[in-house]
Amino acid sequence: MQTFFQQLINGLSLGSIYALLALGYTMVYGIIKLINFAHGDIYMIGAFWGYYVINQYHVDFGVALVSSMVICAALGMLIEYLAYKPLRNSPRITALITAIGVSYFLENGMSFLFGANTRNFPQVVASHRFTVFGVAVTNIQLLIVTVSLLLMVALQLIVQHTRMGTAMRAVAVDQEAAELVGINPNHVISFTFGLGSALAGAAGVLIGLYYNSIDPLMGMVPGIKAFVAAVVGGIGSIPGAALGGFLIGILETFVQAIGLSAYKDAAVYVVLIVILVVLPAGIFGKNVKEKV
Amino acid sequence: MLNVVGLKVNYGAIQAVQGVDFTVNDGEIVTLIGANGAGKSTILKTISGLLRPSAGTITYNDQNLAKLSPSKIVAAGIAQVPEGRHVFEGLTVTENLRMGAYLSPKTRDEQLAAVYDQFPVLKERRSQDAATLSGGEQQMLAMGRAMMAKPKLLLLDEPSMGLAPIYINKIFDIIKNIHAQGVTVLLIEQNAAQALQVADRGYVLASGQVKMTGTGKALLANDDVRAAYLGG
């Protein structure tokens, strides 16, 4: 039972990272039906930005987190403007392949500019471990879960209660009708990329703090797992992405805990296959019939 | 107010509108009638900026609409109620209406109160998901949403389509009511008889061209129009 709770704590910490990333996937998909495969690399850039400002300017955790969110939001919007906007009226597969291209560009660009080696992320928050009912919890884990939950609440408030958030939902359900009330879809799409990328930037700094190490390819596998999380939750659904993220994080740590570390990635992909076969719309997804 | 000259619009490889001229004067109700595929909806979508003309001009109070984006056209005072209603499903009735005032957030709340006065049924359902409304209620929501922008010219695309007879009369009453508030109306309808009854003037379209024009009354009395569109 102790082990169970221990793994649950570990799973929630990892899961909140996946959840933050999955939100970006699901929002972008909801609005332009694009799986943004470069999303995991934005998270990598977020981690590198955190590494840079903490080492260079000795800023504290809060400044690193917020500045990384701002930088990643700007980068996400820039990528959308340069790479995806010109393809707005192209077939979906074109944009998808472009996303993979952007992903390679960011990964190899960072390797080229700063080297492919793994770096130690500066431990800007001193780690303390304390034990509650025999379960070990670190302050870093609490910080990750708390920050993630706060960001999710903030996102929910933006999407549900602001003019721009409502416009996002309007464009997602009916772009033409949204244009007829005067919404410029380009602004809304750009805003969506900014919002999703800001969350990825936060996730990058949090994972740096948690795992201590960062490298230019660190976004690949978490990016794909977060994509799986978004599909599990129902792609396009914001609460679904959050739930899917936590589920995938917990699943991964439990698979490790029962001694199958080597299969932890495989387990996530098995979940993807099972979901696609059994419940293709995901947990919170709506069954939408494609028009042909 | 609105002056359309030599308008041609291509829809993929098809030329859906093949050189159409018509005018809408300030304060009028003008209707475009004609069978399915006559190009009526294409004309409205082009006025709203969703489609681009391949030739011709659309002038609205001396502004050339062909160069403006849909949001600029809404800002200029033209709102459209699209065919098939297209309410935002998953958004509440109030959220749908607020989106109608997307470009005028300052006057949004007073306009919302005015729309709720005009459509009490929407007020009753204000917290409901728009997808749960009946067809007639959704049509009222789509009209209320367009009115949120305080348009000077309202474009209505098949507002009575697919509605129960009780709602059809209601929708035409609402159109008269909106017109009485000083809004100019361009109405597209397959229900030609009722459209011509409320309209000051009408244009009969067939295969992308204007075949006939006249006052609503004159067209209603015209034998050719009666035979083709009014069931004898």
Side-chain angles (χ1 to χ4, degrees):
Chain A
M1 207 58 197
Q2 232 175 49
T3 328
F4 176 82
F5 281 109
Q6 182 66 62
Q7 294 309 325
L8 193 63
I9 296 286
N10 296 346
L12 283 174
S13 314
L14 184 62
S16 34
I17 303 285
Y18 290 153
L20 287 179
L21 277 178
L23 287 165
Y25 273 107
T26 223
M27 284 193 291
V28 165
Y29 184 85
I31 212 145
I32 53 169
K33 305 289 175 278
L34 165 72
I35 306 291
N36 180 16
F37 277 116
H39 193 59
D41 302 299
I42 303 272
Y43 149 93
M44 175 269 292
I45 301 273
F48 270 81
W49 174 265
Y51 169 90
Y52 170 75
V53 286
I54 293 168
N55 276 341
Q56 203 71 24
Y57 299 106
H58 308 290
V59 300
D60 62 13
F61 167 75
V63 174
L65 183 82
V66 172
S67 64
S68 172
M69 290 176 71
V70 171
I71 290 290
C72 287
L75 179 67
M77 288 157 88
L78 182 72
I79 290 172
E80 191 278 323
Y81 181 76
L82 293 175
Y84 306 138
K85 192 173 174 231
L87 301 173
R88 204 55 59 67
N89 298 315
S90 311
R92 263 198 241 168
I93 191 80
T94 315
L96 190 72
I97 292 167
T98 304
I100 296 172
V102 170
S103 168
Y104 283 143
F105 177 79
L106 292 175
E107 287 165 9
N108 294 299
M110 287 300 281
S111 298
F112 176 74
L113 290 173
F114 302 107
N117 53 318
T118 302
R119 294 139 193 264
N120 290 325
F121 195 87
Q123 291 310 291
V124 64
V125 178
S127 178
H128 300 292
R129 179 184 293 270
F130 36 94
T131 312
V132 187
F133 300 116
V135 178
V137 187
T138 68
N139 58 334
I140 307 255
Q141 287 178 318
L142 288 179
L143 184 70
I144 289 174
V145 175
T146 313
V147 168
S148 304
L149 289 177
L150 285 177
L151 289 175
M152 287 179 215
V153 170
L155 176 72
Q156 191 67 6
L157 289 176
I158 291 174
V159 171
Q160 295 298 331
H161 297 291
T162 65
R163 174 166 166 264
M164 200 53 161
T166 314
M168 263 175 75
R169 287 182 288 140
V171 172
V173 291
D174 198 329
Q175 181 163 336
E176 204 166 274
E179 288 187 64
L180 286 177
V181 297
I183 297 171
N184 183 337
N186 288 330
H187 295 170
V188 175
I189 292 165
S190 184
F191 179 78
T192 307
F193 270 86
L195 214 51
S197 303
L199 295 179
V205 173
L206 291 173
I207 201 73
L209 213 52
Y210 194 35
Y211 280 174
N212 285 345
S213 77
I214 62 169
D215 69 88
L217 300 184
M218 65 181 276
M220 287 173 78
V221 173
I224 292 181
K225 284 181 184 161
F227 163 63
V228 174
V231 173
V232 167
I235 191 119
S237 157
I238 288 178
L243 178 67
F246 284 116
L247 287 179
I248 294 294
I250 290 167
L251 170 83
E252 194 179 316
T253 42
F254 275 90
V255 169
Q256 264 179 305
I258 58 171
L260 297 173
S261 288
Y263 298 102
K264 69 181 169 84
D265 293 353
V268 174
Y269 304 137
V270 168
V271 167
L272 175 64
I273 294 168
V274 170
I275 280 281
L276 288 178
V277 171
V278 180
L279 193 68
I283 297 169
F284 288 130
K286 274 177 274 182
N287 249 318
V288 185
K289 289 201 180 71
E290 289 262 320
K291 267 190 220 162
V292 276
Chain B
M1 178 177 229
L2 183 78
N3 199 15
V4 175
V5 179
L7 183 69
K8 293 185 183 177
V9 190
N10 297 332
Y11 220 59
I14 304 156
Q15 196 177 53
V17 179
Q18 306 173 353
V20 163
D21 304 289
F22 67 91
T23 29
V24 181
N25 299 314
D26 208 345
E28 279 188 319
I29 299 184
V30 171
T31 183
L32 308 180
I33 60 171
N36 242 337
K40 303 176 304 243
S41 288
T42 306
I43 292 173
L44 280 207
K45 282 187 178 180
T46 313
I47 296 172
S48 283
L50 294 175
L51 297 174
R52 292 290 166 208
S54 53
T57 57
I58 305 172
T59 325
Y60 170 74
N61 293 342
D62 300 327
Q63 266 180 297
N64 182 3
L65 295 188
K67 293 205 158 96
L68 298 183
S69 67
S71 79
K72 293 267 162 55
I73 291 170
V74 175
I78 301 180
Q80 183 183 150
V81 181
E83 179 181 349
R85 308 182 281 272
H86 285 271
V87 296
F88 298 122
E89 299 191 353
L91 274 66
T92 65
V93 168
T94 300
E95 285 176 330
N96 265 273
L97 292 174
R98 284 191 180 145
M99 280 293 103
Y102 183 75
L103 296 175
S104 46
K106 279 181 188 156
T107 55
R108 190 183 74 183
D109 291 343
E110 60 183 86
Q111 194 61 11
L112 186 66
V115 168
Y116 276 149
D117 277 348
Q118 186 170 7
F119 302 98
V121 63
L122 295 183
K123 191 171 187 181
E124 276 170 38
R125 309 212 181 283
R126 60 186 178 273
S127 307
Q128 266 176 248
D129 181 340
T132 65
L133 267 51
S134 75
E137 288 164 350
Q138 286 190 352
Q139 185 61 49
M140 288 187 222
L141 178 56
M143 293 171 91
R145 183 179 65 187
M147 290 304 290
M148 287 294 292
K150 290 191 168 183
K152 296 184 194 75
L153 173 62
L154 183 67
L155 312 176
L156 293 160
D157 195 348
E158 305 280 8
S160 77
M161 193 174 71
L163 297 186
I166 174 176
Y167 273 119
I168 296 183
N169 289 328
K170 206 164 185 174
I171 293 297
F172 278 98
D173 285 342
I174 294 167
I175 295 171
K176 283 184 237 172
N177 191 302
I178 287 172
H179 179 243
Q181 295 168 32
V183 180
T184 308
V185 176
L186 176 58
L187 169 67
I188 278 184
E189 261 295 338
Q190 290 196 43
N191 187 345
Q194 257 174 313
L196 289 171
Q197 272 164 24
V198 299
D200 297 304
R201 291 185 304 112
Y203 293 84
V204 180
L205 270 83
S207 37
Q209 288 173 320
V210 173
K211 296 293 178 196
M212 212 183 297
T213 176
T215 64
K217 279 190 187 118
L219 289 174
L220 263 178
N222 183 292
D223 287 342
D224 291 340
V225 175
R226 295 185 73 87
Y229 304 105
L230 306 174

